[in-house]
Amino acid sequence: MKLAFSTLGVPGLPLADVLRLATTHGYHGVELRAHPEEPVHPGIDPSRRADAAAEFKAAGVELLGLAGYARVAAPGDDEPVIEEVRRLLDLARDLGAPFVRVFPGGGTEQSRQEADATAARRLGTAAEYAADLGVRILLETHDSHRTGADAIRILGPVGHRHVGSLWDVMHTWLGGEQPSESYAALSPHLGYVQVKDIASADDTTPLPLGAGVLPLADCVEVLSRHGWDGWLCWEYEKRWYEAAAPLPDLLTAGRDHLARLLNDSA
């Protein structure tokens, strides 16, 4: 498996500095938070896109994916959501990223069936555009659909190879799902895995990997046992928890922890 980290952990950091962190601390790739607060987002012009792609190439770091904020199950009209996904896909194509992340984002005023059907319809529409660009849309286990069992209710009906899953191990754990259950549900669709650690279900402040309660060893073990060889991406939510320790100080220890888990599971 290859290791990456998300720029959610280093909010607003210039891309050159992000790539320097990756090379210094031994990460193979980076997931870019594609938000207007960040240097790279769907609003940047073609020259800035070309420059960003060139920076990744020069650094020898892979761009794992773009973490977007489209909410595909959200109430309302389809077209604004589909257009938001298309703009993410265009940026991914221009940068050479294989994946874009979307959220479920179902609303409390919807029934479960309405949220599932809305998300499946929108993803099915966007899938053809994604296929034309050679980019894959990944639905993260999050918010209204935080477990693998939840996500598969959307992904199953879509049934398109350019729509898959992003396994956020915190949300499946918070949803009461065991890693083996999450993997069984998501594996036919799995794009990559986001790892992290927290103190408890009531305190989700980000911690160094291995310092909290999330079953990271079990997650890595089930992936290894089934021969999965994709990406593990550390999503350290510094943007939402300003008091959390700075991510750059933790990157080497985090890489070493994941390497130990991989070695132990081999």
Side-chain angles (χ1 to χ4, degrees):
M1 301 180 210
K2 292 189 285 188
L3 305 181
F5 65 88
S6 168
T7 56
L8 188 64
V10 283
L13 192 68
L15 184 56
D17 295 332
V18 170
L19 295 172
R20 193 173 300 114
L21 286 176
T23 55
T24 299
H25 297 282
Y27 285 78
H28 308 98
V30 169
E31 176 196 76
L32 291 181
R33 177 178 181 246
H35 188 280
E37 295 176 345
E38 302 296 335
V40 178
H41 58 83
I44 65 174
D45 62 29
S47 65
R48 289 176 65 192
R49 296 177 184 216
D51 288 345
E55 285 188 74
F56 270 94
K57 185 175 181 179
V61 175
E62 294 185 57
L63 173 49
L64 169 56
L66 302 178
Y69 289 88
R71 287 167 165 76
V72 294
D77 294 337
D78 286 356
E79 191 51 40
V81 179
I82 293 169
E83 179 58 25
E84 184 176 359
V85 176
R86 286 175 176 153
R87 292 180 71 228
L88 279 169
L89 291 166
D90 287 337
L91 179 61
R93 182 268 319 275
D94 293 344
L95 297 178
F99 302 118
V100 300
R101 185 279 304 281
V102 300
F103 284 147
T108 55
E109 65 272 38
Q110 297 164 296
S111 69
R112 191 176 83 168
Q113 291 77 14
E114 287 173 326
D116 294 348
T118 297
R121 182 176 67 247
R122 291 168 176 169
L123 287 171
T125 300
E128 295 304 319
Y129 192 74
D132 289 342
L133 300 185
V135 181
R136 202 163 175 228
I137 305 166
L138 301 183
L139 178 70
E140 183 172 323
T141 53
H142 196 270
D143 54 69
S144 61
H145 292 69
R146 69 184 350 172
T147 66
D150 293 331
I152 201 65
R153 299 198 314 266
I154 296 171
L155 298 173
V158 174
H160 196 291
R161 65 188 183 90
H162 280 271
V163 176
S165 63
L166 198 173
W167 179 11
D168 181 319
V169 303
M170 180 183 76
H171 283 283
T172 53
W173 180 80
L174 289 172
E177 207 170 57
Q178 295 298 314
S180 58
E181 297 171 324
S182 302
Y183 180 81
L186 298 173
S187 59
H189 311 278
L190 190 55
Y192 63 96
V193 179
Q194 283 181 344
V195 297
K196 60 189 69 173
D197 222 339
I198 57 174
S200 70
D202 298 318
D203 182 2
T204 56
T205 303
L207 294 177
L209 294 179
V213 297
L214 292 184
L216 299 180
D218 292 343
C219 292
V220 171
E221 195 276 331
V222 74
L223 291 166
S224 296
R225 187 170 71 246
H226 289 91
W228 191 79
D229 62 353
W231 286 87
L232 300 178
C233 179
W234 186 6
E235 188 188 49
Y236 185 81
E237 298 184 345
K238 174 69 171 175
R239 173 62 183 85
W240 314 126
Y241 297 88
E242 293 185 10
L247 178 62
D249 298 343
L250 309 175
L251 282 170
T252 293
R255 180 206 65 209
D256 290 346
H257 183 72
L258 292 174
R260 283 193 297 273
L261 295 182
L262 289 166
N263 184 63
D264 291 345
S265 67

